[in-house]
PDB file of all heavy atoms in Angstrom:
ATOM      1  N   ALA A  89      17.059   5.685   3.181  1.00 97.00           N
ATOM      2  CA  ALA A  89      17.679   5.971   1.876  1.00 97.00           C
ATOM      3  C   ALA A  89      19.140   6.347   2.076  1.00 97.00           C
ATOM      4  O   ALA A  89      20.023   5.914   1.327  1.00 97.00           O
ATOM      5  CB  ALA A  89      16.925   7.083   1.161  1.00 97.00           C
ATOM      6  N   GLN A  90      19.393   7.127   3.118  1.00 98.00           N
ATOM      7  CA  GLN A  90      20.752   7.570   3.407  1.00 98.00           C
ATOM      8  C   GLN A  90      21.639   6.376   3.796  1.00 98.00           C
ATOM      9  O   GLN A  90      22.767   6.263   3.339  1.00 98.00           O
ATOM     10  CB  GLN A  90      20.716   8.556   4.563  1.00 98.00           C
ATOM     11  CG  GLN A  90      21.807   9.584   4.510  1.00 98.00           C
ATOM     12  CD  GLN A  90      21.238  10.954   4.859  1.00 98.00           C
ATOM     13  OE1 GLN A  90      20.369  11.037   5.730  1.00 98.00           O
ATOM     14  NE2 GLN A  90      21.718  11.987   4.207  1.00 98.00           N
ATOM     15  N   ALA A  91      21.070   5.501   4.617  1.00 97.00           N
ATOM     16  CA  ALA A  91      21.850   4.341   5.075  1.00 97.00           C
ATOM     17  C   ALA A  91      22.289   3.483   3.892  1.00 97.00           C
ATOM     18  O   ALA A  91      23.325   2.829   3.945  1.00 97.00           O
ATOM     19  CB  ALA A  91      21.023   3.520   6.062  1.00 97.00           C
ATOM     20  N   LEU A  92      21.499   3.501   2.816  1.00 97.00           N
ATOM     21  CA  LEU A  92      21.848   2.713   1.631  1.00 97.00           C
ATOM     22  C   LEU A  92      22.565   3.565   0.588  1.00 97.00           C
ATOM     23  O   LEU A  92      22.758   3.127  -0.547  1.00 97.00           O
ATOM     24  CB  LEU A  92      20.585   2.089   1.022  1.00 97.00           C
ATOM     25  CG  LEU A  92      19.901   1.019   1.864  1.00 97.00           C
ATOM     26  CD1 LEU A  92      18.542   0.649   1.279  1.00 97.00           C
ATOM     27  CD2 LEU A  92      20.785  -0.229   1.957  1.00 97.00           C
ATOM     28  N   GLN A  93      22.930   4.790   0.970  1.00 97.00           N
ATOM     29  CA  GLN A  93      23.636   5.705   0.052  1.00 97.00           C
ATOM     30  C   GLN A  93      22.823   5.989  -1.203  1.00 97.00           C
ATOM     31  O   GLN A  93      23.380   6.140  -2.286  1.00 97.00           O
ATOM     32  CB  GLN A  93      24.986   5.090  -0.379  1.00 97.00           C
ATOM     33  CG  GLN A  93      25.821   4.575   0.752  1.00 97.00           C
ATOM     34  CD  GLN A  93      26.847   5.586   1.212  1.00 97.00           C
ATOM     35  OE1 GLN A  93      27.597   6.111   0.424  1.00 97.00           O
ATOM     36  NE2 GLN A  93      26.828   5.901   2.486  1.00 97.00           N
ATOM     37  N   LEU A  94      21.513   6.026  -1.041  1.00 97.00           N
ATOM     38  CA  LEU A  94      20.655   6.271  -2.210  1.00 97.00           C
ATOM     39  C   LEU A  94      20.079   7.691  -2.216  1.00 97.00           C
ATOM     40  O   LEU A  94      19.232   8.021  -3.040  1.00 97.00           O
ATOM     41  CB  LEU A  94      19.506   5.255  -2.243  1.00 97.00           C
ATOM     42  CG  LEU A  94      19.900   3.822  -2.631  1.00 97.00           C
ATOM     43  CD1 LEU A  94      18.788   2.837  -2.293  1.00 97.00           C
ATOM     44  CD2 LEU A  94      20.247   3.745  -4.118  1.00 97.00           C
ATOM     45  N   GLN A  95      20.555   8.535  -1.295  1.00 96.00           N
ATOM     46  CA  GLN A  95      19.918   9.852  -1.137  1.00 96.00           C
ATOM     47  C   GLN A  95      20.048  10.766  -2.361  1.00 96.00           C
ATOM     48  O   GLN A  95      19.280  11.702  -2.502  1.00 96.00           O
ATOM     49  CB  GLN A  95      20.412  10.554   0.139  1.00 96.00           C
ATOM     50  CG  GLN A  95      21.850  11.024   0.109  1.00 96.00           C
ATOM     51  CD  GLN A  95      22.846   9.934   0.504  1.00 96.00           C
ATOM     52  OE1 GLN A  95      22.494   8.766   0.590  1.00 96.00           O
ATOM     53  NE2 GLN A  95      24.084  10.312   0.727  1.00 96.00           N
ATOM     54  N   GLU A  96      20.986  10.466  -3.271  1.00 97.00           N
ATOM     55  CA  GLU A  96      21.112  11.297  -4.484  1.00 97.00           C
ATOM     56  C   GLU A  96      19.946  11.048  -5.436  1.00 97.00           C
ATOM     57  O   GLU A  96      19.574  11.916  -6.219  1.00 97.00           O
ATOM     58  CB  GLU A  96      22.413  10.966  -5.245  1.00 97.00           C
ATOM     59  CG  GLU A  96      23.677  11.153  -4.440  1.00 97.00           C
ATOM     60  CD  GLU A  96      23.935  12.614  -4.094  1.00 97.00           C
ATOM     61  OE1 GLU A  96      23.748  13.451  -5.000  1.00 97.00           O
ATOM     62  OE2 GLU A  96      24.289  12.898  -2.939  1.00 97.00           O
ATOM     63  N   ARG A  97      19.400   9.856  -5.393  1.00 98.00           N
ATOM     64  CA  ARG A  97      18.353   9.490  -6.354  1.00 98.00           C
ATOM     65  C   ARG A  97      16.984   9.314  -5.703  1.00 98.00           C
ATOM     66  O   ARG A  97      15.977   9.230  -6.400  1.00 98.00           O
ATOM     67  CB  ARG A  97      18.719   8.155  -7.029  1.00 98.00           C
ATOM     68  CG  ARG A  97      19.885   8.217  -7.978  1.00 98.00           C
ATOM     69  CD  ARG A  97      19.787   7.091  -8.982  1.00 98.00           C
ATOM     70  NE  ARG A  97      19.853   5.768  -8.355  1.00 98.00           N
ATOM     71  CZ  ARG A  97      18.914   4.838  -8.464  1.00 98.00           C
ATOM     72  NH1 ARG A  97      17.813   5.053  -9.159  1.00 98.00           N
ATOM     73  NH2 ARG A  97      19.065   3.686  -7.874  1.00 98.00           N
ATOM     74  N   VAL A  98      16.969   9.210  -4.382  1.00 98.00           N
ATOM     75  CA  VAL A  98      15.718   8.889  -3.692  1.00 98.00           C
ATOM     76  C   VAL A  98      15.417   9.945  -2.632  1.00 98.00           C
ATOM     77  O   VAL A  98      16.224  10.166  -1.730  1.00 98.00           O
ATOM     78  CB  VAL A  98      15.822   7.501  -2.997  1.00 98.00           C
ATOM     79  CG1 VAL A  98      14.517   7.146  -2.322  1.00 98.00           C
ATOM     80  CG2 VAL A  98      16.218   6.423  -3.996  1.00 98.00           C
ATOM     81  N   THR A  99      14.260  10.578  -2.747  1.00 98.00           N
ATOM     82  CA  THR A  99      13.890  11.623  -1.798  1.00 98.00           C
ATOM     83  C   THR A  99      12.500  11.361  -1.260  1.00 98.00           C
ATOM     84  O   THR A  99      11.573  11.099  -2.035  1.00 98.00           O
ATOM     85  CB  THR A  99      13.840  13.009  -2.512  1.00 98.00           C
ATOM     86  OG1 THR A  99      15.010  13.144  -3.299  1.00 98.00           O
ATOM     87  CG2 THR A  99      13.740  14.135  -1.509  1.00 98.00           C
ATOM     88  N   GLY A 100      12.348  11.446   0.034  1.00 98.00           N
ATOM     89  CA  GLY A 100      11.025  11.302   0.644  1.00 98.00           C
ATOM     90  C   GLY A 100      10.446  12.674   0.956  1.00 98.00           C
ATOM     91  O   GLY A 100      11.144  13.521   1.512  1.00 98.00           O
ATOM     92  N   ILE A 101       9.208  12.891   0.571  1.00 98.00           N
ATOM     93  CA  ILE A 101       8.553  14.168   0.876  1.00 98.00           C
ATOM     94  C   ILE A 101       7.188  13.914   1.535  1.00 98.00           C
ATOM     95  O   ILE A 101       6.543  12.903   1.271  1.00 98.00           O
ATOM     96  CB  ILE A 101       8.351  15.050  -0.389  1.00 98.00           C
ATOM     97  CG1 ILE A 101       7.485  14.335  -1.432  1.00 98.00           C
ATOM     98  CG2 ILE A 101       9.686  15.459  -1.008  1.00 98.00           C
ATOM     99  CD1 ILE A 101       7.041  15.228  -2.593  1.00 98.00           C
ATOM    100  N   VAL A 102       6.792  14.868   2.368  1.00 98.00           N
ATOM    101  CA  VAL A 102       5.475  14.774   2.997  1.00 98.00           C
ATOM    102  C   VAL A 102       4.466  15.416   2.056  1.00 98.00           C
ATOM    103  O   VAL A 102       4.701  16.498   1.516  1.00 98.00           O
ATOM    104  CB  VAL A 102       5.472  15.520   4.354  1.00 98.00           C
ATOM    105  CG1 VAL A 102       4.075  15.521   4.962  1.00 98.00           C
ATOM    106  CG2 VAL A 102       6.468  14.868   5.318  1.00 98.00           C
ATOM    107  N   GLY A 103       3.359  14.731   1.825  1.00 98.00           N
ATOM    108  CA  GLY A 103       2.327  15.296   0.960  1.00 98.00           C
ATOM    109  C   GLY A 103       1.155  14.347   0.879  1.00 98.00           C
ATOM    110  O   GLY A 103       1.215  13.230   1.405  1.00 98.00           O
ATOM    111  N   SER A 104       0.096  14.809   0.211  1.00 98.00           N
ATOM    112  CA  SER A 104      -1.094  13.967   0.100  1.00 98.00           C
ATOM    113  C   SER A 104      -1.344  13.540  -1.339  1.00 98.00           C
ATOM    114  O   SER A 104      -1.212  14.335  -2.271  1.00 98.00           O
ATOM    115  CB  SER A 104      -2.321  14.690   0.640  1.00 98.00           C
ATOM    116  OG  SER A 104      -3.408  13.782   0.609  1.00 98.00           O
ATOM    117  N   MET A 105      -1.731  12.297  -1.489  1.00 98.00           N
ATOM    118  CA  MET A 105      -1.966  11.740  -2.821  1.00 98.00           C
ATOM    119  C   MET A 105      -3.173  12.370  -3.512  1.00 98.00           C
ATOM    120  O   MET A 105      -3.376  12.145  -4.696  1.00 98.00           O
ATOM    121  CB  MET A 105      -2.100  10.215  -2.750  1.00 98.00           C
ATOM    122  CG  MET A 105      -3.139   9.708  -1.799  1.00 98.00           C
ATOM    123  SD  MET A 105      -3.317   7.914  -1.880  1.00 98.00           S
ATOM    124  CE  MET A 105      -1.870   7.327  -1.046  1.00 98.00           C
ATOM    125  N   ASP A 106      -3.960  13.156  -2.798  1.00 98.00           N
ATOM    126  CA  ASP A 106      -5.067  13.842  -3.477  1.00 98.00           C
ATOM    127  C   ASP A 106      -4.670  15.262  -3.905  1.00 98.00           C
ATOM    128  O   ASP A 106      -5.507  16.025  -4.395  1.00 98.00           O
ATOM    129  CB  ASP A 106      -6.343  13.853  -2.620  1.00 98.00           C
ATOM    130  CG  ASP A 106      -6.141  14.535  -1.285  1.00 98.00           C
ATOM    131  OD1 ASP A 106      -5.083  15.178  -1.078  1.00 98.00           O
ATOM    132  OD2 ASP A 106      -7.041  14.411  -0.435  1.00 98.00           O
ATOM    133  N   ASP A 107      -3.397  15.592  -3.746  1.00 98.00           N
ATOM    134  CA  ASP A 107      -2.926  16.923  -4.127  1.00 98.00           C
ATOM    135  C   ASP A 107      -1.441  16.795  -4.501  1.00 98.00           C
ATOM    136  O   ASP A 107      -0.571  17.263  -3.780  1.00 98.00           O
ATOM    137  CB  ASP A 107      -3.125  17.873  -2.930  1.00 98.00           C
ATOM    138  CG  ASP A 107      -2.744  19.303  -3.259  1.00 98.00           C
ATOM    139  OD1 ASP A 107      -2.699  19.645  -4.449  1.00 98.00           O
ATOM    140  OD2 ASP A 107      -2.472  20.058  -2.307  1.00 98.00           O
ATOM    141  N   LEU A 108      -1.183  16.175  -5.643  1.00 98.00           N
ATOM    142  CA  LEU A 108       0.196  15.824  -5.991  1.00 98.00           C
ATOM    143  C   LEU A 108       1.005  17.061  -6.367  1.00 98.00           C
ATOM    144  O   LEU A 108       0.509  17.931  -7.083  1.00 98.00           O
ATOM    145  CB  LEU A 108       0.217  14.810  -7.148  1.00 98.00           C
ATOM    146  CG  LEU A 108      -0.434  13.455  -6.875  1.00 98.00           C
ATOM    147  CD1 LEU A 108      -0.240  12.521  -8.073  1.00 98.00           C
ATOM    148  CD2 LEU A 108       0.141  12.801  -5.619  1.00 98.00           C
ATOM    149  N   PRO A 109       2.251  17.123  -5.912  1.00 98.00           N
ATOM    150  CA  PRO A 109       3.089  18.296  -6.147  1.00 98.00           C
ATOM    151  C   PRO A 109       3.893  18.219  -7.454  1.00 98.00           C
ATOM    152  O   PRO A 109       4.855  18.941  -7.614  1.00 98.00           O
ATOM    153  CB  PRO A 109       4.040  18.264  -4.937  1.00 98.00           C
ATOM    154  CG  PRO A 109       4.212  16.813  -4.664  1.00 98.00           C
ATOM    155  CD  PRO A 109       2.911  16.139  -5.037  1.00 98.00           C
ATOM    156  N   PHE A 110       3.501  17.333  -8.381  1.00 98.00           N
ATOM    157  CA  PHE A 110       4.277  17.163  -9.611  1.00 98.00           C
ATOM    158  C   PHE A 110       3.661  17.975 -10.745  1.00 98.00           C
ATOM    159  O   PHE A 110       2.491  18.339 -10.701  1.00 98.00           O
ATOM    160  CB  PHE A 110       4.326  15.680 -10.003  1.00 98.00           C
ATOM    161  CG  PHE A 110       4.764  14.793  -8.875  1.00 98.00           C
ATOM    162  CD1 PHE A 110       3.846  13.985  -8.200  1.00 98.00           C
ATOM    163  CD2 PHE A 110       6.086  14.792  -8.453  1.00 98.00           C
ATOM    164  CE1 PHE A 110       4.243  13.180  -7.137  1.00 98.00           C
ATOM    165  CE2 PHE A 110       6.492  13.998  -7.390  1.00 98.00           C
ATOM    166  CZ  PHE A 110       5.572  13.189  -6.730  1.00 98.00           C
ATOM    167  N   GLN A 111       4.475  18.207 -11.781  1.00 98.00           N
ATOM    168  CA  GLN A 111       3.924  18.873 -12.969  1.00 98.00           C
ATOM    169  C   GLN A 111       3.172  17.854 -13.807  1.00 98.00           C
ATOM    170  O   GLN A 111       3.524  16.678 -13.823  1.00 98.00           O
ATOM    171  CB  GLN A 111       5.055  19.475 -13.789  1.00 98.00           C
ATOM    172  CG  GLN A 111       5.587  20.725 -13.123  1.00 98.00           C
ATOM    173  CD  GLN A 111       6.591  21.455 -13.975  1.00 98.00           C
ATOM    174  OE1 GLN A 111       7.088  20.920 -14.961  1.00 98.00           O
ATOM    175  NE2 GLN A 111       6.875  22.670 -13.581  1.00 98.00           N
ATOM    176  N   GLU A 112       2.173  18.329 -14.526  1.00 98.00           N
ATOM    177  CA  GLU A 112       1.426  17.414 -15.388  1.00 98.00           C
ATOM    178  C   GLU A 112       2.364  16.846 -16.454  1.00 98.00           C
ATOM    179  O   GLU A 112       3.222  17.554 -16.974  1.00 98.00           O
ATOM    180  CB  GLU A 112       0.265  18.152 -16.050  1.00 98.00           C
ATOM    181  CG  GLU A 112      -0.713  18.624 -15.004  1.00 98.00           C
ATOM    182  CD  GLU A 112      -2.092  18.964 -15.555  1.00 98.00           C
ATOM    183  OE1 GLU A 112      -2.303  18.786 -16.773  1.00 98.00           O
ATOM    184  OE2 GLU A 112      -2.931  19.387 -14.755  1.00 98.00           O
ATOM    185  N   GLY A 113       2.199  15.559 -16.745  1.00 98.00           N
ATOM    186  CA  GLY A 113       3.019  14.930 -17.790  1.00 98.00           C
ATOM    187  C   GLY A 113       4.474  14.741 -17.419  1.00 98.00           C
ATOM    188  O   GLY A 113       5.308  14.510 -18.292  1.00 98.00           O
ATOM    189  N   ALA A 114       4.803  14.832 -16.148  1.00 98.00           N
ATOM    190  CA  ALA A 114       6.221  14.811 -15.753  1.00 98.00           C
ATOM    191  C   ALA A 114       6.735  13.412 -15.397  1.00 98.00           C
ATOM    192  O   ALA A 114       7.937  13.179 -15.412  1.00 98.00           O
ATOM    193  CB  ALA A 114       6.439  15.733 -14.559  1.00 98.00           C
TER     194      ALA A 114
END
Side-chain angles (χ1 to χ4, degrees):
Q90 210 137 37
L92 293 170
Q93 311 264 308
L94 287 165
Q95 70 275 12
E96 302 293 317
R97 290 204 298 122
V98 182
T99 313
I101 60 170
V102 176
S104 185
M105 55 175 74
D106 59 10
D107 184 20
L108 297 184
F110 309 106
Q111 285 187 346
E112 296 199 2

